[in-house]
Short mmCIF file of all heavy atoms in Angstrom, two decimals:
data_model
loop_
_atom_site.label_atom_id
_atom_site.label_comp_id
_atom_site.label_asym_id
_atom_site.label_seq_id
_atom_site.Cartn_x
_atom_site.Cartn_y
_atom_site.Cartn_z
N LEU A 1 0.86 -1.17 0.00
CA LEU A 1 0.00 0.00 0.00
C LEU A 1 0.90 1.23 0.00
O LEU A 1 1.60 1.48 0.98
CB LEU A 1 -0.90 -0.01 1.24
CG LEU A 1 -2.05 0.98 1.29
CD1 LEU A 1 -2.96 0.85 0.08
CD2 LEU A 1 -2.87 0.79 2.57
N HIS A 2 0.88 1.95 -1.12
CA HIS A 2 1.82 3.05 -1.34
C HIS A 2 3.25 2.50 -1.25
O HIS A 2 3.59 1.59 -1.98
CB HIS A 2 1.56 4.19 -0.35
CG HIS A 2 0.13 4.67 -0.36
ND1 HIS A 2 -0.52 5.01 -1.52
CD2 HIS A 2 -0.77 4.85 0.65
CE1 HIS A 2 -1.76 5.39 -1.25
NE2 HIS A 2 -1.95 5.29 0.05
N ASN A 3 4.05 2.97 -0.32
CA ASN A 3 5.42 2.47 -0.22
C ASN A 3 5.61 1.52 0.97
O ASN A 3 6.75 1.20 1.33
CB ASN A 3 6.41 3.64 -0.08
CG ASN A 3 6.42 4.52 -1.32
OD1 ASN A 3 6.38 4.02 -2.44
ND2 ASN A 3 6.48 5.83 -1.12
N ASP A 4 4.50 1.09 1.55
CA ASP A 4 4.57 0.24 2.74
C ASP A 4 4.15 -1.19 2.41
O ASP A 4 3.29 -1.42 1.55
CB ASP A 4 3.66 0.80 3.85
CG ASP A 4 4.03 2.22 4.22
OD1 ASP A 4 5.23 2.55 4.17
OD2 ASP A 4 3.12 3.00 4.57
N ILE A 5 4.72 -2.14 3.14
CA ILE A 5 4.36 -3.55 2.99
C ILE A 5 3.68 -4.00 4.28
O ILE A 5 4.30 -3.97 5.36
CB ILE A 5 5.60 -4.42 2.72
CG1 ILE A 5 6.31 -3.95 1.43
CG2 ILE A 5 5.20 -5.88 2.57
CD1 ILE A 5 7.62 -4.67 1.16
N HIS A 6 2.41 -4.38 4.18
CA HIS A 6 1.62 -4.76 5.34
C HIS A 6 1.45 -6.27 5.43
O HIS A 6 1.26 -6.95 4.41
CB HIS A 6 0.23 -4.12 5.27
CG HIS A 6 0.23 -2.63 5.36
ND1 HIS A 6 -0.01 -1.94 6.53
CD2 HIS A 6 0.45 -1.68 4.41
CE1 HIS A 6 0.05 -0.65 6.31
NE2 HIS A 6 0.33 -0.45 5.03
N GLN A 7 1.51 -6.78 6.65
CA GLN A 7 1.17 -8.16 6.95
C GLN A 7 0.16 -8.18 8.09
O GLN A 7 -0.18 -7.14 8.67
CB GLN A 7 2.42 -8.97 7.29
CG GLN A 7 3.33 -9.21 6.10
CD GLN A 7 4.52 -10.10 6.43
OE1 GLN A 7 4.69 -10.56 7.55
NE2 GLN A 7 5.36 -10.35 5.43
N ASP A 8 -0.31 -9.37 8.40
CA ASP A 8 -1.33 -9.57 9.43
C ASP A 8 -0.91 -8.89 10.75
O ASP A 8 0.17 -9.13 11.27
CB ASP A 8 -1.50 -11.07 9.66
CG ASP A 8 -2.73 -11.41 10.48
OD1 ASP A 8 -3.03 -10.68 11.44
OD2 ASP A 8 -3.39 -12.41 10.16
N GLY A 9 -1.82 -8.04 11.28
CA GLY A 9 -1.53 -7.36 12.54
C GLY A 9 -1.37 -8.31 13.71
O GLY A 9 -0.79 -7.95 14.73
N GLY A 10 -1.88 -9.55 13.56
CA GLY A 10 -1.76 -10.53 14.63
C GLY A 10 -0.34 -10.95 14.91
O GLY A 10 -0.04 -11.52 15.97
N LEU A 11 0.58 -10.68 13.98
CA LEU A 11 1.99 -10.99 14.21
C LEU A 11 2.54 -10.20 15.38
O LEU A 11 3.48 -10.63 16.06
CB LEU A 11 2.80 -10.68 12.95
CG LEU A 11 2.51 -11.50 11.69
CD1 LEU A 11 3.28 -10.96 10.52
CD2 LEU A 11 2.85 -12.97 11.93
N LEU A 12 1.96 -9.02 15.63
CA LEU A 12 2.42 -8.15 16.72
C LEU A 12 1.41 -8.04 17.84
O LEU A 12 1.76 -8.10 19.01
CB LEU A 12 2.72 -6.75 16.18
CG LEU A 12 3.89 -6.61 15.20
CD1 LEU A 12 3.92 -5.19 14.66
CD2 LEU A 12 5.19 -6.94 15.88
N LEU A 13 0.13 -7.84 17.48
CA LEU A 13 -0.91 -7.55 18.47
C LEU A 13 -2.14 -8.38 18.15
O LEU A 13 -3.15 -7.85 17.68
CB LEU A 13 -1.25 -6.05 18.45
CG LEU A 13 -0.13 -5.07 18.81
CD1 LEU A 13 -0.53 -3.65 18.44
CD2 LEU A 13 0.17 -5.15 20.30
N ASN A 14 -2.07 -9.68 18.40
CA ASN A 14 -3.22 -10.53 18.09
C ASN A 14 -4.39 -10.24 19.02
O ASN A 14 -5.53 -10.56 18.72
CB ASN A 14 -2.83 -12.00 18.16
CG ASN A 14 -3.71 -12.85 17.26
OD1 ASN A 14 -4.14 -12.40 16.21
ND2 ASN A 14 -3.99 -14.08 17.69
N ASN A 15 -4.09 -9.65 20.18
CA ASN A 15 -5.12 -9.12 21.08
C ASN A 15 -4.89 -7.61 21.16
O ASN A 15 -4.01 -7.14 21.86
CB ASN A 15 -4.99 -9.76 22.47
CG ASN A 15 -6.02 -9.21 23.45
OD1 ASN A 15 -6.68 -8.21 23.19
ND2 ASN A 15 -6.14 -9.86 24.60
N PRO A 16 -5.71 -6.81 20.43
CA PRO A 16 -5.45 -5.37 20.35
C PRO A 16 -6.11 -4.55 21.46
O PRO A 16 -6.24 -3.33 21.33
CB PRO A 16 -6.05 -5.00 18.99
CG PRO A 16 -7.23 -5.92 18.87
CD PRO A 16 -6.82 -7.21 19.56
N CYS A 17 -6.51 -5.18 22.54
CA CYS A 17 -7.31 -4.49 23.57
C CYS A 17 -6.52 -3.35 24.23
O CYS A 17 -7.06 -2.26 24.46
CB CYS A 17 -7.80 -5.48 24.61
SG CYS A 17 -9.14 -4.83 25.62
N ALA A 18 -5.25 -3.58 24.55
CA ALA A 18 -4.45 -2.53 25.18
C ALA A 18 -4.28 -1.34 24.23
O ALA A 18 -4.31 -0.19 24.66
CB ALA A 18 -3.09 -3.08 25.60
N LEU A 19 -4.12 -1.63 22.95
CA LEU A 19 -4.04 -0.56 21.95
C LEU A 19 -5.33 0.24 21.93
O LEU A 19 -5.32 1.47 21.86
CB LEU A 19 -3.76 -1.18 20.57
CG LEU A 19 -3.73 -0.26 19.35
CD1 LEU A 19 -2.71 -0.76 18.33
CD2 LEU A 19 -5.10 -0.17 18.69
N ALA A 20 -6.48 -0.45 21.98
CA ALA A 20 -7.77 0.23 21.98
C ALA A 20 -7.93 1.14 23.19
O ALA A 20 -8.43 2.27 23.07
CB ALA A 20 -8.90 -0.80 21.94
N VAL A 21 -7.49 0.68 24.35
CA VAL A 21 -7.57 1.50 25.57
C VAL A 21 -6.72 2.76 25.41
O VAL A 21 -7.13 3.86 25.77
CB VAL A 21 -7.12 0.67 26.80
CG1 VAL A 21 -6.92 1.57 28.01
CG2 VAL A 21 -8.16 -0.41 27.10
N HIS A 22 -5.52 2.59 24.86
CA HIS A 22 -4.62 3.73 24.64
C HIS A 22 -5.26 4.76 23.70
O HIS A 22 -5.25 5.96 23.98
CB HIS A 22 -3.31 3.23 24.05
CG HIS A 22 -2.40 4.32 23.54
ND1 HIS A 22 -1.75 5.20 24.37
CD2 HIS A 22 -2.07 4.67 22.26
CE1 HIS A 22 -1.04 6.05 23.64
NE2 HIS A 22 -1.21 5.75 22.37
N GLU A 23 -5.84 4.30 22.59
CA GLU A 23 -6.46 5.21 21.63
C GLU A 23 -7.64 5.95 22.25
O GLU A 23 -7.84 7.14 22.00
CB GLU A 23 -6.92 4.42 20.40
CG GLU A 23 -5.79 3.87 19.55
CD GLU A 23 -5.10 4.95 18.73
OE1 GLU A 23 -5.73 5.50 17.80
OE2 GLU A 23 -3.92 5.25 19.02
N CYS A 24 -8.43 5.26 23.06
CA CYS A 24 -9.60 5.89 23.67
C CYS A 24 -9.21 6.95 24.70
O CYS A 24 -9.91 7.95 24.86
CB CYS A 24 -10.49 4.82 24.32
SG CYS A 24 -11.39 3.82 23.12
N ARG A 25 -8.14 6.74 25.41
CA ARG A 25 -7.68 7.75 26.38
C ARG A 25 -7.30 9.04 25.66
O ARG A 25 -7.45 10.14 26.22
CB ARG A 25 -6.49 7.21 27.17
CG ARG A 25 -6.87 6.16 28.21
CD ARG A 25 -5.77 5.98 29.22
NE ARG A 25 -6.05 4.91 30.16
CZ ARG A 25 -6.86 5.02 31.21
NH1 ARG A 25 -7.48 6.17 31.43
NH2 ARG A 25 -7.05 4.00 32.02
N LEU A 26 -6.81 8.93 24.42
CA LEU A 26 -6.47 10.12 23.65
C LEU A 26 -7.72 10.78 23.07
O LEU A 26 -7.80 12.01 22.98
CB LEU A 26 -5.50 9.75 22.52
CG LEU A 26 -4.12 9.25 22.94
CD1 LEU A 26 -3.30 8.87 21.71
CD2 LEU A 26 -3.38 10.32 23.73
N LEU A 27 -8.70 9.97 22.68
CA LEU A 27 -9.93 10.52 22.08
C LEU A 27 -10.80 11.22 23.12
O LEU A 27 -11.36 12.28 22.85
CB LEU A 27 -10.73 9.38 21.42
CG LEU A 27 -10.24 8.91 20.05
CD1 LEU A 27 -10.90 7.59 19.68
CD2 LEU A 27 -10.53 9.96 18.98
N TRP A 28 -10.95 10.60 24.29
CA TRP A 28 -11.82 11.15 25.34
C TRP A 28 -11.04 11.22 26.66
O TRP A 28 -11.28 10.44 27.59
CB TRP A 28 -13.06 10.27 25.52
CG TRP A 28 -13.90 10.16 24.28
CD1 TRP A 28 -14.74 11.11 23.79
CD2 TRP A 28 -14.00 9.03 23.39
NE1 TRP A 28 -15.36 10.66 22.65
CE2 TRP A 28 -14.92 9.39 22.38
CE3 TRP A 28 -13.41 7.77 23.36
CZ2 TRP A 28 -15.27 8.52 21.35
CZ3 TRP A 28 -13.74 6.91 22.32
CH2 TRP A 28 -14.66 7.29 21.34
N PRO A 29 -10.07 12.13 26.76
CA PRO A 29 -9.17 12.16 27.93
C PRO A 29 -9.87 12.40 29.26
O PRO A 29 -9.36 12.01 30.29
CB PRO A 29 -8.20 13.30 27.59
CG PRO A 29 -8.90 14.14 26.58
CD PRO A 29 -9.75 13.20 25.79
N GLY A 30 -11.04 13.02 29.25
CA GLY A 30 -11.70 13.32 30.52
C GLY A 30 -12.77 12.32 30.90
O GLY A 30 -13.43 12.49 31.94
N SER A 31 -12.97 11.28 30.10
CA SER A 31 -14.06 10.33 30.35
C SER A 31 -13.55 9.04 30.97
O SER A 31 -12.50 8.52 30.57
CB SER A 31 -14.79 10.01 29.05
OG SER A 31 -15.37 11.16 28.48
N PRO A 32 -14.30 8.47 31.93
CA PRO A 32 -13.93 7.17 32.49
C PRO A 32 -14.35 6.05 31.53
O PRO A 32 -15.10 6.29 30.57
CB PRO A 32 -14.75 7.10 33.78
CG PRO A 32 -15.98 7.90 33.45
CD PRO A 32 -15.53 9.02 32.55
N PHE A 33 -13.88 4.85 31.78
CA PHE A 33 -14.30 3.70 30.99
C PHE A 33 -15.55 3.08 31.62
O PHE A 33 -15.54 2.72 32.79
CB PHE A 33 -13.18 2.65 30.91
CG PHE A 33 -12.08 3.03 29.96
CD1 PHE A 33 -10.92 3.64 30.43
CD2 PHE A 33 -12.20 2.80 28.60
CE1 PHE A 33 -9.90 4.01 29.56
CE2 PHE A 33 -11.19 3.17 27.72
CZ PHE A 33 -10.04 3.78 28.20
N GLN A 34 -16.61 2.98 30.83
CA GLN A 34 -17.81 2.31 31.30
C GLN A 34 -17.63 0.79 31.20
O GLN A 34 -17.99 0.05 32.11
CB GLN A 34 -19.02 2.74 30.46
CG GLN A 34 -20.34 2.15 30.93
CD GLN A 34 -21.52 2.75 30.18
OE1 GLN A 34 -21.42 3.82 29.58
NE2 GLN A 34 -22.65 2.07 30.20
N CYS A 35 -17.09 0.32 30.08
CA CYS A 35 -16.73 -1.09 29.96
C CYS A 35 -15.72 -1.29 28.84
O CYS A 35 -15.71 -0.55 27.86
CB CYS A 35 -17.97 -1.96 29.72
SG CYS A 35 -18.77 -1.68 28.13
N VAL A 36 -14.86 -2.28 29.03
CA VAL A 36 -13.88 -2.68 28.02
C VAL A 36 -14.11 -4.17 27.78
O VAL A 36 -13.89 -4.99 28.66
CB VAL A 36 -12.43 -2.44 28.50
CG1 VAL A 36 -11.43 -2.96 27.46
CG2 VAL A 36 -12.20 -0.95 28.76
N VAL A 37 -14.58 -4.50 26.57
CA VAL A 37 -14.94 -5.88 26.23
C VAL A 37 -13.92 -6.43 25.25
O VAL A 37 -13.71 -5.86 24.17
CB VAL A 37 -16.35 -5.95 25.63
CG1 VAL A 37 -16.73 -7.40 25.31
CG2 VAL A 37 -17.38 -5.33 26.57
N SER A 38 -13.28 -7.53 25.62
CA SER A 38 -12.27 -8.16 24.79
C SER A 38 -12.75 -9.56 24.39
O SER A 38 -13.07 -10.38 25.25
CB SER A 38 -10.94 -8.26 25.56
OG SER A 38 -9.98 -8.97 24.82
N LEU A 39 -12.81 -9.81 23.07
CA LEU A 39 -13.31 -11.09 22.57
C LEU A 39 -12.18 -11.89 21.92
O LEU A 39 -11.53 -11.41 20.99
CB LEU A 39 -14.43 -10.87 21.55
CG LEU A 39 -15.65 -10.08 22.01
CD1 LEU A 39 -16.70 -10.03 20.90
CD2 LEU A 39 -16.25 -10.68 23.28
N GLY A 40 -11.97 -13.11 22.41
CA GLY A 40 -11.02 -14.02 21.80
C GLY A 40 -11.71 -14.87 20.76
O GLY A 40 -12.93 -14.81 20.58
N THR A 41 -10.92 -15.70 20.08
CA THR A 41 -11.49 -16.57 19.05
C THR A 41 -11.28 -18.05 19.41
O THR A 41 -11.17 -18.90 18.53
CB THR A 41 -10.86 -16.27 17.67
OG1 THR A 41 -9.43 -16.39 17.77
CG2 THR A 41 -11.20 -14.87 17.21
#
C-alpha cells in the first residue's frame, strides 16, 4: 500500500485491547471507561 508492505496485525498484536484503551484515552481524555470488552477466538 503506497510504499509500505503490510502483513497480518496478529503478528504483533493478536489481542489489540491494550491498543484500543490507549487510543480511547487520547480521544476522550476526561471520560472514564464504562466497559472494556475483549473477545477471543
